Amino acid sequence: MYSESRTETVSDRLIVQDATPGADETRNDTTSQANQSAPETDGASDRAAAAGGGLLLAGVALAAANMRPAVTSLSSILGGVRDSLGASTTWASVLTSVPTLCFGVAGIAAPLLARRWGMRRVVGIALGVLTAAMLFRVTGAATTVLVGTVVSCAAIAMCNVLIPVVVKESFPRRVGMATGLYTTAMAAGGSVGSAFTPWLRAELGGWRLALATWAVLALAAFLVWNSAGRGGDSGAGAAPKATAGAANGGASLLRSPLAWAVTVYFAMQSLVAYVVMGWLPEVFKSAGAGAGAAGGLLGLVLLIGVPISMVLPPLVTRTKGQSVWTVCLAATAISGFLGVLFAPMSAPLLWALLIGVGMSAFPLALVLISLRTSSAADTSRLSGMAQSIGYLIASTGPFLFGMLHDVTGSWSASLVVLIGVLTVQALVGTFAGRPRTV
């Protein structure tokens, strides 16, 4: 269930202009002509609005498809990139921690930038920066890859925070459809980025061209989004309200146990997700899987999220509470990681399937933010708290997961800790899933 603003927008108004004075004997003719031309004008306006909305939806889908390939494409060949550059496991651990750290910072910075320049414009600039950064990071050594990835993830983070707000504002009567398109495209983009990058590396003769290929997708999103944005920036007026709401009421949410439960739940599922996207191929490769197979398994994990992202939110909103959902998803993921821990190559497809289903906690976390609030203002405040604090907490996961492997020489301790995180996710999920509001 998503909160919908009832504020009237300019695009919802019908402005009728009739300023053609004339003599009495010609007034009837003028009125007749106006009546004949008005339907044509209204029809043209409706068609233009529909075309603009369709172009914006295409921009939303393309932008969402870019939210994960910059991360999953690199993680699917991370070992090869690290060896090629002579980098350390610590470097790889830092690299995999970058996305969530950027998302946490962006949760604070994005509303400020949107208030100054408007949400659509900031998203458009971010997509341009993403395109350039994805090309830049393949031009140099380990430091260049790290810097380019940081800038790429910062750009993604801006889009990650602002696009859902643009969706709610631009499609107030089709929020469910547009949000489903957004989450589905995001899952599909991550899956394709992971599954095809090892193949691209083999076909193009190296990891640099393979990673650079995904800049084409970012460029397409940049062009379509900015074409759709020519109709006006809807975000310029909305961002200050959201920011003010957070400033005026943030302290009360920090004192709310329910708000913290939702935030910790968001943090735990994000931590697991980015550990999986950053390290799962390496875990399977250590167990004996080839680079292509390991990337394909991550692609399967992410691909499973495509249909689940479409059907889970409507199902969840029809139940009185969501505690059972939170526990079942966490238990499913735990089952998959136990398989990876004790018998990784006995049934890797099954483990990937279980982990993929368990990672569907992401759309559930987004739904909980809406269900645990009673107004749009509270939803905005809770979303800001959950995303900024949650992503900052989650940013420690990929780094610690890699460092534990560096210290112990195996993935066992890292996987045990991850199972512990999922246990915490289930416990706080039972509290966050109870039918109450902050």
Side-chain angles (χ1 to χ4, degrees):
M1 180 175 64
Y2 298 89
S3 298
E4 300 184 9
S5 173
R6 297 184 181 272
T7 304
E8 185 182 19
T9 62
V10 174
S11 60
D12 292 329
R13 300 171 188 163
L14 179 61
I15 303 175
V16 180
Q17 296 179 338
D18 187 4
T20 310
D24 292 341
E25 62 269 17
T26 62
R27 185 170 300 163
N28 291 337
D29 292 340
T30 303
T31 304
S32 176
Q33 293 173 4
N35 289 337
Q36 292 174 4
S37 61
E40 296 178 2
T41 303
D42 292 345
S45 299
D46 291 343
R47 288 192 295 271
L55 191 60
L56 181 58
L57 274 177
V60 167
L62 281 171
N66 279 280
M67 295 299 97
R68 287 179 175 173
V71 178
T72 60
S73 62
L74 180 57
S75 66
S76 65
I77 56 173
L78 182 59
V81 174
R82 181 188 60 203
D83 295 342
S84 172
L85 298 173
S88 65
T89 303
T90 301
W91 172 85
S93 298
V94 172
L95 197 67
T96 55
S97 300
V98 162
T100 48
L101 182 61
C102 289
F103 291 159
V105 174
I108 301 171
L112 300 177
L113 295 176
R115 179 173 58 182
R116 182 177 180 85
W117 291 313
M119 286 184 288
R120 290 195 193 181
R121 186 176 301 170
V122 171
V123 171
I125 294 172
L127 290 171
V129 171
L130 174 62
T131 304
M134 291 181 72
L135 292 173
F136 169 77
R137 72 174 179 175
V138 302
T139 60
T143 301
T144 303
V145 175
L146 181 58
V147 172
T149 301
V150 169
V151 176
S152 296
C153 291
I156 291 171
M158 291 293 168
C159 298
N160 193 55
V161 172
L162 295 179
I163 289 178
V165 184
V166 174
V167 165
K168 289 184 180 181
E169 184 183 70
S170 301
F171 306 100
R173 296 176 181 83
R174 295 182 290 170
V175 169
M177 179 275 295
T179 303
L181 176 67
Y182 174 78
T183 56
T184 301
M186 183 187 296
S191 176
V192 171
S194 173
F196 280 91
T197 302
W199 175 80
L200 287 171
R201 181 180 63 173
E203 292 295 316
L204 299 177
W207 62 268
R208 296 182 189 273
L209 285 177
L211 293 181
T213 300
W214 298 106
V216 176
L217 182 63
L219 178 61
F222 169 77
L223 294 175
V224 173
W225 183 274
N226 284 283
S227 296
R230 290 175 183 173
D233 196 319
S234 60
K241 296 178 183 179
T243 305
N248 294 335
S252 63
L253 286 186
L254 293 176
R255 293 194 296 267
S256 168
L258 178 56
W260 275 108
V262 173
T263 298
V264 174
Y265 183 81
F266 190 95
M268 296 299 100
Q269 64 82 26
S270 296
L271 189 154
V272 173
Y274 282 94
V275 165
V276 168
M277 287 189 284
W279 288 112
L280 189 62
E282 292 299 305
V283 174
F284 277 118
K285 281 191 282 186
S286 296
L297 288 169
L298 176 58
L300 175 61
V301 168
L302 300 175
L303 183 62
I304 293 166
V306 174
I308 295 179
S309 294
M310 297 175 66
V311 302
L312 183 63
L315 290 176
V316 167
T317 56
R318 292 192 182 100
T319 58
K320 183 177 181 181
Q322 292 72 44
S323 298
V324 174
W325 290 98
T326 63
V327 172
C328 288
L329 289 177
T332 303
I334 288 173
S335 300
F337 283 114
L338 286 173
V340 174
L341 175 62
F342 292 111
M345 298 310 295
S346 63
L349 291 176
L350 176 60
W351 310 147
L353 175 66
L354 292 172
I355 293 171
V357 173
M359 280 178 58
S360 299
F362 172 67
L364 176 57
L366 294 181
V367 171
L368 284 177
I369 291 174
S370 292
L371 293 180
R372 298 289 83 86
T373 52
S374 56
S375 67
D378 285 343
T379 301
S380 176
R381 290 164 52 210
L382 182 57
S383 178
M385 176 179 172
Q387 291 200 48
S388 58
I389 297 176
Y391 278 130
L392 287 174
I393 294 173
S395 67
T396 63
F399 178 78
L400 293 177
F401 192 86
M403 287 300 296
L404 275 175
H405 172 266
D406 206 19
V407 171
T408 63
S410 74
W411 294 107
S412 297
S414 301
L415 289 169
V416 168
V417 170
L418 197 62
I419 291 170
V421 169
L422 283 163
T423 303
V424 174
Q425 178 182 313
L427 292 175
V428 297
T430 59
F431 186 80
R434 296 174 185 173
R436 296 167 298 159
T437 57
V438 295

